[in-house]
């Protein structure tokens, strides 16, 4: 594995884990209600779902690459469009009503497992994020790399969760996040749109008819 591929997989796992979404919002709600320890328990449980969905996404990506470049390019276009849609929704987001029922979870660890395994956005977001960041290195992917790819994505996600555990429950961070939640969401939307453009730039040329 080249250093650039290694960093791309680590970055994919990190971005997937730390980008604000249902899981991140839930852990901030739990941290606000019950403190850092409960938030850490939720994230430890949620990590199981992340490993399963990220592994499934990587299997799909490597499988598409092995089948042929066209299949990978189609996956790249679909992922790019999906990420663009998510980003556009985030950019146009409005202020939430502040309801966070997840914060009242009595068993954060088991709640995290259930939340991570049943999140309907987990798999498509994982596919879209990994495809966007790995598309420029698609020719390097093969089945023999899969265990290492999964391990690297896990490490990236673990780093993201370590940062979240470090800040969740802190009053200053909680106040800052709640005060600027809309701006943070919109900034993440811009980032998603950037990933979408990157995926489309690398995938669309492969689908264009070759001119002799």
């Amino acid at each position: 594995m080249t250093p650039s591929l290694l960093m791309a997989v680590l970055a994919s796992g990190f971005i997937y884990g730390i980008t604000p979404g249902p899981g991140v919002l839930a852990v901030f709600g739990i941290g606000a209600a019950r403190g850092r320890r409960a938030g850490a328990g939720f994230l430890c449980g949620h990590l199981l779902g992340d490993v399963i969905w990220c592994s499934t996404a990587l299997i799909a990506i490597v499988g598409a690459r092995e089948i042929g470049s066209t299949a990978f390019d189609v996956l790249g276009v679909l992922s790019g469009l999906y990420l663009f849609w998510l980003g556009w929704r985030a950019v146009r987001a409005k202020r939430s009503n502040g309801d966070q029922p997840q914060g009242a979870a009595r068993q954060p660890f088991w709640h995290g497992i259930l939340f991570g395994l049943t999140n309907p956005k987990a798999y498509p977001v994982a596919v879209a994020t990994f495809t966007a960041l790995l598309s420029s290195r698609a020719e390097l992917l093969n089945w023999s790399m899969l265990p290492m790819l999964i391990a690297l994505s896990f490490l990236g996600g673990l780093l993201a969760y370590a940062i979240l555990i470090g800040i969740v429950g802190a009053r200053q961070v909680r106040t800052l996040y709640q005060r600027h939640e809309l701006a943070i969401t919109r900034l993440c939307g811009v980032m998603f749109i950037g990933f979408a453009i990157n995926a489309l730039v690398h995938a669309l040329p492969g689908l264009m008819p070759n001119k002799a």
Side-chain angles (χ1 to χ4, degrees), residues 29-46:
I30 291 174
R34 303 191 57 195
R36 180 177 289 112
R37 184 173 181 178
F42 174 84
L43 285 178
C44 289
H46 197 278

Side-chain angles (χ1 to χ4, degrees), residues 142-203:
N142 57 65
W143 288 116
S144 64
M145 290 182 176
L146 188 59
M148 182 62 71
L149 295 175
I150 293 173
L152 288 171
S153 69
F154 172 77
L155 289 177
L158 201 61
L159 176 60
Y161 278 7
I163 293 175
L164 289 175
I165 290 172
I167 64 178
V168 71
R171 185 178 62 181
Q172 298 88 341
V173 173
R174 193 164 65 240
T175 301
L176 180 66
Y177 183 84
Q178 291 172 346
R179 183 177 300 168
H180 301 287
E181 178 184 356
L182 187 60
I184 293 172
T185 300
R186 289 175 174 172
L187 181 61
C188 290
V190 173
M191 182 177 66
F192 271 21
I193 290 174
F195 290 155
I197 293 173
N198 178 73
L200 293 172
V201 164
H202 287 95

